[in-house]
Amino acid sequence: MAATTNLLFQTPSTKPLKFSPTPFSINPILPFKPKPVFSTRLTSIQTRIPRAVISTSQPKTHQFEHCFEKSEDGYLYCEGIKVEEVMEVVEKRPFYLYSKPQITRNVVAYKDALEGLNSIIGYAIKANNNLKVLEHLQKLGCGAVLVSGNELKLALRAGFDPTRCVFNGNGKILDDLVLAAQEGVFVNIDSEFDLENIVAAARIAGKKVNVLLRINPDVDPQVHPYVATGNKNSKFGIRNEKLQWFLDAVKAHPNELKLVGAHCHLGSTITKVDIFRDAAVLMVNYIDEIRSQGFEIDYLNIGGGLGIDYYHTGAILPTPRDLIDTVRELVLSRSLNLIIEPGRSLIANTCCFVNRVTGVKTNGTKNFIVIDGSMAELIRPSLYGAYQHIELVSPSPSNAEISTFDVVGPVCESADFLGKDRELPTPTKGAGLVVHDAGAYCMSMASTYNLKMRPPEYWVEDDGSVSKIRHGETFEDHLRLFEGL
């Protein structure tokens, strides 16, 4: 550890750059083939079960496609399987339900978009850290983007190639950086002390680290401030006026650091690809200047952040191809390898959070649907005021009154809501209700507040069966944390 005491860095110059665990078993839950209730359809992912034709009321200009869809009979299906039938055979508690084929389709969309480019699809593990999901993404050819040593350990457990992994973060600790150095992971330099810690880790590991400079381009992504990461007020990245100091510092450590690229990350839920183009123009200009100083820069990492249609309105949003085509010529013009870091756009729309209605109540001015799920299992609406589409899984009685409800859970917080002001048929007790697009930043952010234990997870397999891919936590799991104390 003596190496860390020898790293003394001067205050950065303000001179601006002038530039031209044990794997869970997969137990089949529903090995059935659903009975077709209407005509079949073909999909790009061929399976051995019939698929349902889905009737939608989306605008003709954009056919809304989703692995969870309402059929003509009023039931919600996932890849041709009734969600209600899944509810009947799994644990009677809130749970997450995924479509494995949809995960594949989302990855294929990126791979097709990247054709002709040398690239790495770095899945952002922070979005969803389910081991079985990670193993599937790894088999599809993805790399991984990490923000902690534990995420790196999980990526290795899932089989990811560490040389196709990127370690991000504004507060990386020394022990985690040592592991990253040992494994050959790309590491982003985020600050002066981060650079110092990376140098120390390289010396401890006895290996040179491939590093990228995370530059804050000060581009407004026009998203919620909590998920904006590339503007001047963000805690992430290096300000461009300090960039020359970092280049000099890297040059001063040729035995520890090899600068191979530049990185930026603008934010999340981005719906305008021109924002990526603006950032890429700035980044390739920085790369030109960095190369002029003798560095062999091979990688441009443009981060992730592509948004999805959480509202289910049929809005025409940018696709992976739209994103890649926006930066393609810039990447090719500099003969760069492109790294992208999708999380939400790979996994969010593959999953819904399934709940049961506990009851309906009114306080005289507001109507409430109370469900067994809560902000403990899915916090995005409470944390960001995020909208996620909500619907019932089966048709309501013909005499059910349609009203405006807040959908809330049992947690002792007024912030415990999954959706506000939703127009829904008045549900019966025990009815199924889902929160859509719950694959990203939902289960990975779940807590045990009020001792609501984290829920189980299931997915629909390619062959139409349903398997458990994560055990639900129990009260006994909680007590085990105190054994022997």
Side-chain angles (χ1 to χ4, degrees), residues 377-428:
E377 296 91 354
L378 196 159
I379 199 173
R380 290 186 71 252
S382 300
L383 184 62
Y384 303 125
Y387 181 99
Q388 291 182 234
H389 188 61
I390 291 173
E391 64 181 328
L392 301 174
V393 307
S394 57
S396 301
S398 58
N399 61 349
E401 182 181 356
I402 296 176
S403 297
T404 300
F405 297 94
D406 284 5
V407 179
V408 301
V411 162
C412 193
E413 296 284 342
S414 294
D416 179 25
F417 63 91
L418 284 301
K420 290 191 171 184
D421 298 323
R422 304 303 176 88
E423 191 172 275
L424 294 164
T426 302
T428 58

Side-chain angles (χ1 to χ4, degrees), residues 289-319:
E289 172 57 27
I290 295 169
R291 282 175 167 175
S292 75
Q293 296 189 31
F295 293 98
E296 297 179 4
I297 299 296
D298 297 319
Y299 293 90
L300 170 62
N301 184 337
I302 61 168
L306 196 62
I308 68 167
D309 185 5
Y310 277 111
Y311 285 85
H312 288 206
T313 60
I316 300 177
L317 297 181
T319 65

Side-chain angles (χ1 to χ4, degrees), residues 218-429:
D218 195 12
V219 172
D220 180 8
Q222 301 176 38
V223 297
H224 191 287
Y226 287 8
V227 293
T229 58
N231 57 35
K232 64 182 179 181
N233 296 319
S234 172
K235 70 175 184 177
F236 299 103
I238 297 163
R239 292 287 295 156
N240 62 347
E241 62 264 24
K242 296 182 179 179
L243 186 52
Q244 185 61 57
W245 181 90
F246 282 93
L247 296 176
D248 294 340
V250 171
K251 285 181 181 178
H253 296 89
N255 297 322
E256 293 87 8
L257 306 177
K258 181 180 180 181
L259 181 59
V260 298
H263 170 254
C264 70
H265 194 292
L266 305 179
S268 194
T269 68
I270 297 172
T271 57
K272 298 178 181 178
V273 292
D274 287 349
I275 293 170
F276 290 99
R277 168 80 183 186
D278 293 344
V281 169
L282 292 172
M283 294 301 294
V284 296
N285 283 331
Y286 288 132
I287 287 172
D288 289 343
E289 172 57 27
I290 295 169
R291 282 175 167 175
S292 75
Q293 296 189 31
F295 293 98
E296 297 179 4
I297 299 296
D298 297 319
Y299 293 90
L300 170 62
N301 184 337
I302 61 168
L306 196 62
I308 68 167
D309 185 5
Y310 277 111
Y311 285 85
H312 288 206
T313 60
I316 300 177
L317 297 181
T319 65
R321 184 171 294 278
D322 294 330
L323 167 58
I324 301 306
D325 285 351
T326 300
V327 301
R328 179 182 297 275
E329 293 307 317
L330 286 169
V331 172
L332 290 173
S333 69
R334 286 4 185 240
S335 300
L336 291 164
N337 301 294
L338 181 65
I339 300 174
I340 58 172
E341 301 180 351
R344 184 188 318 275
S345 56
L346 279 184
I347 197 69
N349 72 346
T350 70
C351 175
C352 69
F353 180 46
V354 185
N355 309 267
R356 287 175 174 81
V357 173
T358 304
V360 176
K361 64 177 292 187
T362 181
N363 64 7
T365 58
K366 176 80 71 171
N367 300 318
F368 300 93
I369 296 174
V370 184
I371 59 175
D372 53 358
S374 71
M375 64 181 290
E377 296 91 354
L378 196 159
I379 199 173
R380 290 186 71 252
S382 300
L383 184 62
Y384 303 125
Y387 181 99
Q388 291 182 234
H389 188 61
I390 291 173
E391 64 181 328
L392 301 174
V393 307
S394 57
S396 301
S398 58
N399 61 349
E401 182 181 356
I402 296 176
S403 297
T404 300
F405 297 94
D406 284 5
V407 179
V408 301
V411 162
C412 193
E413 296 284 342
S414 294
D416 179 25
F417 63 91
L418 284 301
K420 290 191 171 184
D421 298 323
R422 304 303 176 88
E423 191 172 275
L424 294 164
T426 302
T428 58
K429 182 178 181 179

